[in-house]
Amino acid sequence: MNMSILTLLYRNGLWISALVFAVAAALLGYFIYNIIRLERQSLMLTLPLLERQKMAFGEAGPVMLCIKGPRFTTRFAKLTYEIRAADGTRVESRGIWLRPSSSGYSTATVGIRKFDIPRPGDYFLEIHGLQSDRSYYDKCEVVLKRPHLIRSVGNVIGIVFSSILMIGSMVLFLIRLLSKQELS
């Protein structure tokens, strides 16, 4: 029985591999679109690099502080970040072990710290260690996002498996096509 299934798959390999290729390509596009959409939906605020600035959060929960600047820059190396409530209370934070990052041709965004905002309201972002020359931080920003690591990992796994399925279907198609040509 097991052998007959393999024989059936081999005999009908051309059209089965084309169908699997189409499904895998659609899944690959779906997972790539999901990652792009997730990145856009997670964006909360984009702020310039200033020593102290006010911001407002409409809801409590985790917030990821990211830095955005030219690729391979070291301008953020000595900076530290704090978020304080309007009454001066420091918001709990922790460093991020697996730093999520996204990059384009000339800029990159990297997650640095995760803050737990206790309640909606006004807060102050304080950045310590900034240089006095403001031009040093041209094209640099602080980005606040909602964390989305688990969903991103799920989409990346989907991209990997749909790519493997796509490549496998192409290989099956070529093997079956070449074997058909040899028989004729």
Side-chain angles (χ1 to χ4, degrees):
M1 172 117 182
N2 203 11
M3 191 61 139
S4 64
I5 292 174
L6 291 176
T7 306
L8 180 71
L9 284 175
Y10 181 75
R11 283 188 191 151
N12 299 305
L14 280 175
W15 70 269
I16 289 174
S17 61
L19 179 66
V20 169
F21 180 85
V23 169
L27 284 172
L28 181 62
Y30 170 77
F31 288 122
I32 290 172
Y33 172 76
N34 267 352
I35 284 207
I36 293 169
R37 183 175 53 94
L38 186 60
E39 191 66 26
R40 286 184 185 149
Q41 287 178 344
S42 68
L43 181 64
M44 295 174 74
L45 290 169
T46 301
L47 303 167
L49 283 173
L50 299 173
E51 288 181 6
R52 182 177 166 95
Q53 53 194 313
K54 187 177 183 178
M55 57 192 174
F57 291 105
E59 58 187 45
V63 173
M64 184 172 46
L65 183 135
C66 304
I67 53 170
K68 181 178 181 181
R71 289 176 62 103
F72 310 115
T73 187
T74 58
R75 296 176 191 169
F76 300 101
K78 296 181 182 178
L79 301 181
T80 58
Y81 308 89
E82 284 185 340
I83 294 180
R84 294 190 179 272
D87 64 1
T89 307
R90 188 170 181 235
V91 175
E92 292 295 319
S93 73
R94 59 191 171 284
I96 300 173
W97 284 30
L98 298 173
R99 292 185 172 178
S101 65
S102 60
S103 59
Y105 293 111
S106 60
T107 61
T109 305
V110 179
I112 299 295
R113 297 200 70 73
K114 193 173 184 181
F115 292 89
D116 294 317
I117 304 300
R119 62 191 168 281
D122 291 335
Y123 290 85
F124 291 93
L125 172 64
E126 297 177 358
I127 303 174
H128 305 286
L130 288 171
Q131 290 189 5
S132 58
D133 181 17
R134 287 281 164 231
S135 64
Y136 183 72
Y137 298 108
D138 284 349
K139 300 179 184 174
C140 297
E141 298 173 321
V142 174
V143 179
L144 296 167
K145 297 180 176 185
R146 293 184 203 330
H148 53 80
L149 179 66
I150 294 172
R151 290 186 290 171
S152 291
V153 168
N155 283 312
V156 168
I157 290 170
I159 287 171
V160 169
F161 283 124
S162 59
S163 298
I164 290 170
L165 195 59
M166 221 167 108
I167 292 168
S169 68
M170 285 190 315
V171 169
L172 177 63
F173 182 83
L174 289 174
I175 288 172
R176 189 63 184 116
L177 187 66
L178 291 174
S179 69
K180 211 173 206 184
Q181 286 178 353
E182 287 176 5
L183 294 175
S184 35

